[in-house]
Amino acid sequence: MITIVPLFVDDTETFQSAFEEAVHSRCDWIELRLDRALNDLDPFRLLEILAVLDPGDKRLLYTIRTDREGGEISLTDTEYKELVRHLCRLNGLVDVELSRLDHEEPLASFSNPEQTVLSFHDFDQTPADLDVIWHAMETHHPLVQKLAIMPRDKQDVDRLLESCRQHRTESRKIAIAMGEQGTVSRLWGDAWDSFAAFCTLSQSSAPGQLSLEEWLVKRTGKNGPSDGTNC
């Protein structure tokens, strides 16, 4: 599995320091959460900040998580899609929430599928129709399909992971069961064909996230792996 570290972006030295820490850490991707910054910064100022970031050998993932997906900003569909169009011009991947797509609207109308992580979140429960959700994402052929749910019990975790294993696609897949009950999905999801885990450096962006250090130790023992990409 690869590891993805989320950071909330702003224009302070604190963020710059955290970003440098992530660049020099043993994570593989850095997720830049933009919703908090958009409450304080002009979108074009934010894009200027992103354009000059140097991730070294890490891959960047730009995410705008709105309030209807557990995030920190309210945006109309038009505002959201316009921001995604701008983010697609940067060097990195873009997270797009499945709920932002109309039934007849192609993802390609505002985001490049080859650089899109198409995601679905449910912070309250585990939907009954997991296969339907996977297939709804599949029709857009994104680089990555991500499904994150809140389990009520172990059976919900098992159901999510089995749905990931059984979903056949050329896209990469990420299946996350949030909270303590879902720890197995974050640590050993690759056994069910989930290729990535989100870990924290200091600040969690979702329930149940492990720290990067804790994840490395639990995955491989006391000293962690020599290269996170080989996990």
Side-chain angles (χ1 to χ4, degrees), residues 5-10 12-25 27 30-32 53 200-203:
V5 166
L7 299 177
F8 284 90
V9 176
D10 58 38
T12 68
E13 290 185 7
T14 300
F15 164 68
Q16 293 293 338
S17 176
F19 182 77
E20 287 301 316
E21 181 183 358
V23 168
H24 292 99
S25 76
C27 77
I30 303 171
E31 181 188 37
L32 297 176
L53 293 176
T200 67
L201 286 180
S202 59
Q203 188 174 18

Side-chain angles (χ1 to χ4, degrees), residues 177-195:
M178 293 179 275
E180 272 192 40
Q181 290 190 98
T183 300
V184 64
S185 69
R186 297 184 182 277
L187 275 172
W188 308 109
D190 49 340
W192 291 269
D193 207 21
S194 177
F195 94 105

Side-chain angles (χ1 to χ4, degrees), residues 19-212:
F19 182 77
E20 287 301 316
E21 181 183 358
V23 168
H24 292 99
S25 76
R26 295 162 76 182
C27 77
D28 301 292
W29 293 11
I30 303 171
E31 181 188 37
L32 297 176
R33 281 284 301 270
L34 310 180
D35 36 305
R36 186 176 297 173
L38 286 166
N39 281 316
D40 302 316
L41 298 175
D42 176 273
F44 292 102
R45 170 59 185 146
L46 177 58
L47 290 167
E48 287 176 351
I49 293 171
L50 299 178
V52 298
L53 293 176
D54 181 2
D57 63 352
K58 313 299 185 190
R59 200 165 195 180
L60 296 181
L61 170 61
Y62 307 111
T63 299
I64 306 167
R65 192 74 66 222
T66 67
D67 52 359
R68 73 193 208 190
E69 300 108 22
E72 301 187 17
I73 192 169
S74 177
L75 294 172
T76 66
D77 284 346
T78 299
E79 292 169 331
Y80 180 88
K81 292 169 185 176
E82 186 60 25
L83 284 167
V84 169
R85 288 188 184 96
H86 285 294
L87 292 170
C88 283
R89 299 185 184 112
L90 299 177
N91 182 24
L93 306 179
V94 182
D95 182 287
V96 173
E97 192 72 23
L98 180 64
S99 64
R100 291 290 177 172
L101 289 165
D102 299 328
H103 292 298
E104 302 299 324
E105 181 181 28
L107 173 64
S109 67
F110 65 95
S111 184
N112 177 4
E114 294 181 358
Q115 66 182 117
T116 299
V117 176
L118 190 56
S119 60
F120 173 91
H121 293 78
D122 192 324
F123 287 87
D124 298 317
Q125 62 182 342
T126 303
D129 54 350
L130 294 176
D131 291 340
V132 172
I133 297 168
W134 284 118
H135 287 296
M137 292 191 283
E138 176 69 12
T139 61
H140 299 283
H141 306 289
L143 179 69
V144 180
Q145 300 172 28
K146 174 189 171 187
L147 208 163
I149 54 85
M150 181 62 74
R152 301 285 176 85
D153 50 36
K154 182 179 180 298
Q155 286 69 34
D156 281 345
V157 178
D158 292 343
R159 190 158 58 85
L160 171 70
L161 292 173
E162 281 302 318
S163 75
C164 182
R165 190 208 304 265
Q166 293 172 15
H167 176 49
R168 300 303 178 192
T169 177
E170 292 185 3
S171 302
R172 290 181 170 183
K173 296 174 289 183
I174 303 175
I176 300 171
M178 293 179 275
E180 272 192 40
Q181 290 190 98
T183 300
V184 64
S185 69
R186 297 184 182 277
L187 275 172
W188 308 109
D190 49 340
W192 291 269
D193 207 21
S194 177
F195 94 105
F198 286 77
C199 302
T200 67
L201 286 180
S202 59
Q203 188 174 18
S204 174
S205 64
Q209 280 182 355
L210 301 168
S211 71
L212 178 60

